[in-house]
Amino acid sequence: FEGGQLNVSENCLDRHLTSGRANKAALIFERESGDVRTLTYRQLHHEVCRMANALAGLGLARGDRAAIYMPMVPEAAIAMLACARLGVIHTVIFGGFSSEAIKDRVNDCQARVIITADGGWRRGRIVELKANVDRAVPGTPSVEKVIVLRRTGHEVPMDPARDVWWHELVAGRPGTHKAKAFDSENPLYILYTSGSTGKPKGVLHTSAGYLLATALTMKYVFDLKDDDVFFCTADVGWVTGHSYVVYGPLAAGATVLMYEGAPNHPEPDRFWQLIDRHGATILYTAPTAIRAFMRWGDAYVKRHRLDSL
């Protein structure tokens, strides 16, 4: 698309506000505790604009890098889309990675900001995300600010010169933001390989071709229809989560089901419970997960209707 321009965040949000999807559920989020939170396209747009204005207020602009180290919560998608809105290149770091993994990735891309949470929930226990960031940051000289989402509410140390709470940063920020058009080949994100065979390698995705590919696969691989509820079980820390929890489904105007927690907590039928409760019509998961389900047997599946699929 040489010479073409677009904004990825605008394509995932703004255009749906005038196409009859403004009040359609964009994200249905279920916490491990069972609480549910739904964001319509209008509400998601509002939150992304607030965060984009907040990041711009910190001086972030096109070409800067931001690292995102978060649990599977709507704010992870909000942070990604806010970065895309500004032309800030995000690098999402899987929440299960260590402080050393954070340090390697942040130093490689020279991120100015890390967006994280006090913690996340997995199997009823807190995953100490902020503590890992605190261990990493002394070795990451490029980092100027750490933005912390209050998620678990447990006590975490906050460095007044460096750390800022998400809710305080976005407080009073307008829920509108004019997205800038960027070149079709403008970098969208860097995602690092796991590093299991050596130093993690940063893979760069640009804007137009990537967005088109994810939108096309929603149409031709998943046969997505407007009333579908799409449940991709990947974490946003992986490329599948980027493409099929955030960019692909939202570009297609879908309703995305997002879950924070383990597939067998409190019991091995958690996914089937989620599918029935929210009427999921498409399940996209990994062979590793399917092998685990097979080991757990049929009894857990037979507890549920699953007629929405």
Side-chain angles (χ1 to χ4, degrees):
F1 303 106
E2 191 175 352
Q5 291 193 324
L6 85 168
N7 184 286
V8 169
S9 181
E10 184 177 40
N11 273 272
C12 291
L13 297 171
D14 303 52
R15 67 191 184 85
H16 300 309
L17 304 186
T18 55
S19 69
R21 294 193 181 110
N23 296 317
K24 177 182 178 176
L27 288 178
I28 301 170
F29 167 62
E30 182 162 321
R31 301 172 177 86
E32 198 177 63
S33 62
D35 298 342
V36 176
R37 178 181 166 205
T38 300
L39 288 166
T40 64
Y41 272 93
R42 191 190 305 281
Q43 291 167 329
L44 183 60
H45 175 262
H46 179 84
E47 293 304 323
V48 168
C49 288
R50 291 176 78 208
M51 190 55 170
N53 285 319
L55 293 175
L58 293 178
L60 267 70
R62 177 184 177 272
D64 285 332
R65 276 79 64 204
I68 299 170
Y69 180 67
M70 296 192 77
M72 272 294 285
V73 292
E75 284 79 6
I78 289 165
M80 292 165 70
L81 290 160
C83 287
R85 207 165 183 86
L86 296 172
V88 171
I89 303 161
H90 64 68
T91 186
V92 181
I93 303 167
F94 172 52
F97 279 166
S98 68
S99 54
E100 280 300 309
I102 299 169
K103 192 164 72 175
D104 287 346
R105 289 157 175 78
V106 167
N107 283 337
D108 188 80
C109 72
Q110 293 290 289
R112 290 180 59 193
V113 168
I114 299 177
I115 304 170
T116 188
D118 51 3
W121 291 106
R122 190 159 179 92
R123 301 189 201 284
R125 294 189 181 138
I126 291 173
V127 181
E128 297 277 358
L129 299 174
K130 174 64 162 58
N132 280 339
V133 170
D134 286 343
R135 281 190 285 271
V137 166
T140 57
S142 65
V143 173
E144 299 163 17
K145 288 287 177 188
V146 175
I147 300 166
V148 187
L149 176 74
R150 183 169 278 150
R151 172 76 188 96
T152 60
H154 75 293
E155 201 68 36
V156 293
M158 294 287 283
D159 177 344
R162 183 197 72 199
D163 301 344
V164 57
W165 288 109
W166 176 303
H167 63 277
E168 291 177 0
L169 186 67
V170 301
R173 303 281 180 181
T176 56
H177 177 270
K178 177 67 178 163
K180 293 177 183 170
F182 298 113
D183 188 79
S184 61
E185 287 292 283
N186 196 60
L188 177 62
Y189 67 81
I190 300 168
L191 186 61
Y192 287 85
T193 59
S194 60
S196 53
T197 57
K199 189 174 183 288
K201 291 166 279 294
V203 179
L204 177 74
H205 272 290
T206 57
S207 298
Y210 171 76
L211 190 67
L212 175 63
T214 57
L216 281 179
T217 48
M218 295 308 300
K219 181 177 173 68
Y220 293 119
V221 177
F222 296 108
D223 190 30
L224 187 82
K225 301 291 189 287
D226 214 52
D227 56 354
D228 278 321
V229 176
F230 187 79
F231 182 22
C232 171
T233 68
D235 191 282
V236 289
W238 308 116
V239 73
T240 302
H242 281 57
S243 302
Y244 300 114
V245 176
V246 182
Y247 291 116
L250 296 179
T255 295
V256 182
L257 177 57
M258 178 188 269
Y259 168 62
E260 178 202 25
N264 59 347
H265 184 83
E267 290 191 81
D269 65 341
R270 188 63 189 264
F271 277 7
W272 317 125
Q273 191 184 72
L274 283 162
I275 288 162
D276 271 1
R277 182 179 299 137
H278 301 292
T281 56
I282 301 171
L283 172 68
Y284 180 34
T285 195
T288 310
I290 292 169
R291 284 192 288 272
F293 302 154
M294 289 165 71
R295 284 197 301 277
W296 298 335
D298 292 346
Y300 292 107
V301 185
K302 289 176 179 174
R303 289 181 183 179
H304 304 276
R305 296 189 319 273
L306 303 177
D307 54 354
S308 63
L309 280 179

